[in-house]
């Protein structure tokens, strides 16, 4: 089995906090592993005994920072740290500005809309608005997938500099890095030129993903909105009309965020 290691800080600092450092080592290890680990694997990777980390694991599970699989007893990171990050003023402002605009967008298009950000090389849905039609396709809050595989993720990556693109790809699951780098760069550049991405869903037959970025003052994407448009038999497709509404909504949100 491949062994993971987290290097402890070489400088203890003027105020050592062994318990805190132990907890941070565990969290950093699981973030790097990107797969469930047993208590034994965690202890071995950190160069500690199971007894040394048992209490810390218990507390982290109780506080909601780790999830424990009841069948295997293996541990993974929860969304707790991400949720805390979303409580920062900048993140709150994004949701507060985008949410009402997305509600209006969904009402106009009769399709659901999802606000998506990047975290550790993955897309995360942080807000959604259900469509007003009799049927709509809605992703749950917290839904994740590798950024390079998601329409919304590719749109965000398209509006980053090369260094940020590469860091996001390196942080994601390894299978997201297997795609030819040249082809991926060309695809992202094309999205940036167009200003949007309209493509068939990777997962759902009959769904067309329509996505556009929310940009900061430097033209970098801080988020994207994706509409999973349901194509129905006998109904006229309105992809271009929905795209126009989406682009207008994203421009308005970008402007309000400043």
């Amino acid at each position: 089995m491949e062994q993971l290691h987290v290097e402890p800080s070489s400088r203890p600092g003027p105020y050592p906090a062994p318990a805190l450092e132990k907890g941070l080592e565990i969290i950093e290890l699981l973030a790097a592993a990107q797969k469930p680990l047993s208590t034994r694997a965690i202890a071995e990777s950190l160069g500690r005994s199971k007894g040394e980390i048992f209490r810390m694991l218990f507390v982290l599970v109780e506080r909601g920072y780790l999830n424990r699989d009841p069948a295997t007893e293996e541990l993974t990171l929860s969304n707790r740290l991400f949720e805390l990050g979303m409580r920062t003023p900048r993140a709150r402002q994004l949701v507060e500005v985008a949410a009402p605009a997305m509600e209006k967008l969904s009402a106009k298009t009769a399709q659901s809309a999802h606000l998506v950000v990047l975290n550790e090389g993955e897309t995360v849905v942080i807000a959604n608005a259900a469509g007003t039609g009799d049927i709509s396709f809605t992703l749950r809050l917290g839904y994740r997938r590798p950024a390079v595989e998601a329409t919304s993720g590719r749109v965000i990556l398209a509006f980053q500099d090369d260094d940020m693109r590469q860091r996001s790809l390196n942080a994601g699951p390894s299978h997201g890095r297997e795609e030819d780098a040249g082809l991926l760069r060309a695809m992202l550049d094309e999205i940036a030129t167009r200003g949007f991405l309209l493509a068939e869903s990777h997962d759902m037959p009959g769904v067309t993903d329509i996505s556009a970025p929310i940009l900061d003052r430097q033209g970098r994407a801080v988020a994207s909105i994706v509409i999973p448009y349901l194509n129905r038999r006998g109904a006229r497709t309105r992809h271009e009309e929905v795209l126009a509404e989406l682009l207008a909504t994203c421009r308005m949100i970008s402007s309000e965020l400043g």
Side-chain angles (χ1 to χ4, degrees):
M1 180 181 70
E2 181 183 359
Q3 192 70 31
L4 293 164
H5 295 279
V6 171
E7 293 295 333
S9 172
S10 59
R11 296 180 298 170
Y15 304 107
L20 176 59
E21 290 173 0
K22 195 184 304 180
L24 292 174
E25 286 176 5
I26 292 169
I27 289 172
E28 290 169 358
L29 173 69
L30 287 169
Q34 297 182 349
K35 63 180 179 180
L37 294 177
S38 66
T39 301
R40 178 180 177 181
I42 293 172
E44 290 178 351
S45 295
L46 296 178
R48 299 181 181 273
S49 69
K50 290 174 66 175
E52 280 185 279
I53 65 169
F54 178 79
R55 277 186 177 180
M56 185 58 65
L57 291 175
F58 179 82
V59 171
L60 290 171
V61 171
E62 287 294 299
R63 295 294 296 267
Y65 290 92
L66 302 184
N67 293 326
R68 189 190 301 273
D69 188 314
T72 65
E73 293 294 308
E74 290 182 324
L75 296 150
T76 55
L77 283 182
S78 70
N79 283 331
R80 175 73 170 153
L81 288 173
F82 180 75
E83 290 167 356
L84 290 175
M86 291 308 301
R87 296 178 188 175
T88 62
R90 180 181 175 87
R92 286 204 308 269
Q93 184 190 22
L94 171 62
V95 174
E96 287 168 0
V97 171
M102 288 167 58
E103 291 291 346
K104 293 178 181 177
L105 174 65
S106 289
K108 287 181 179 179
T109 63
Q111 303 286 330
S112 62
H114 305 79
L115 180 64
V116 178
V117 296
L118 288 189
N119 181 55
E120 297 294 332
E122 294 183 313
T123 58
V124 187
V125 176
I126 62 171
N128 57 33
T132 56
D134 55 341
I135 300 176
S136 64
F137 183 85
T138 305
L139 300 171
R140 62 174 173 79
L141 295 180
Y143 174 78
R144 293 171 175 263
R145 69 172 304 163
V148 73
E149 296 179 7
T151 301
S152 57
R154 291 182 173 187
V155 166
I156 297 175
L157 290 172
F159 291 87
Q160 309 294 338
D161 59 34
D162 288 338
D163 287 343
M164 181 58 186
R165 284 182 183 179
Q166 195 57 51
R167 286 200 299 272
S168 296
L169 293 173
N170 289 343
S174 59
H175 61 268
R177 304 172 205 164
E178 294 172 1
E179 188 166 358
D180 182 85
L183 291 176
L184 178 59
R185 189 180 301 111
M187 176 195 66
L188 295 177
D189 289 343
E190 184 178 353
I191 295 170
T193 299
R194 290 183 179 178
F196 63 88
L197 179 57
L198 192 156
E200 295 305 307
S201 169
H202 290 271
D203 301 318
M204 301 297 296
V207 173
T208 299
D209 289 334
I210 306 174
S211 184
I214 295 172
L215 304 174
D216 64 14
R217 289 179 179 176
Q218 287 72 44
R220 295 185 297 251
V222 297
S224 66
I225 294 177
V226 61
I227 294 176
Y229 185 101
L230 285 177
N231 301 295
R232 302 177 64 176
R233 286 196 182 94
R236 180 177 66 88
T237 57
R238 300 169 49 245
H239 296 167
E240 297 301 327
E241 296 170 33
V242 170
L243 173 61
E245 294 287 353
L246 172 61
L247 289 171
T249 298
C250 287
R251 284 194 295 268
M252 183 270 291
I253 295 171
S254 298
S255 177
E256 288 198 28
L257 288 175

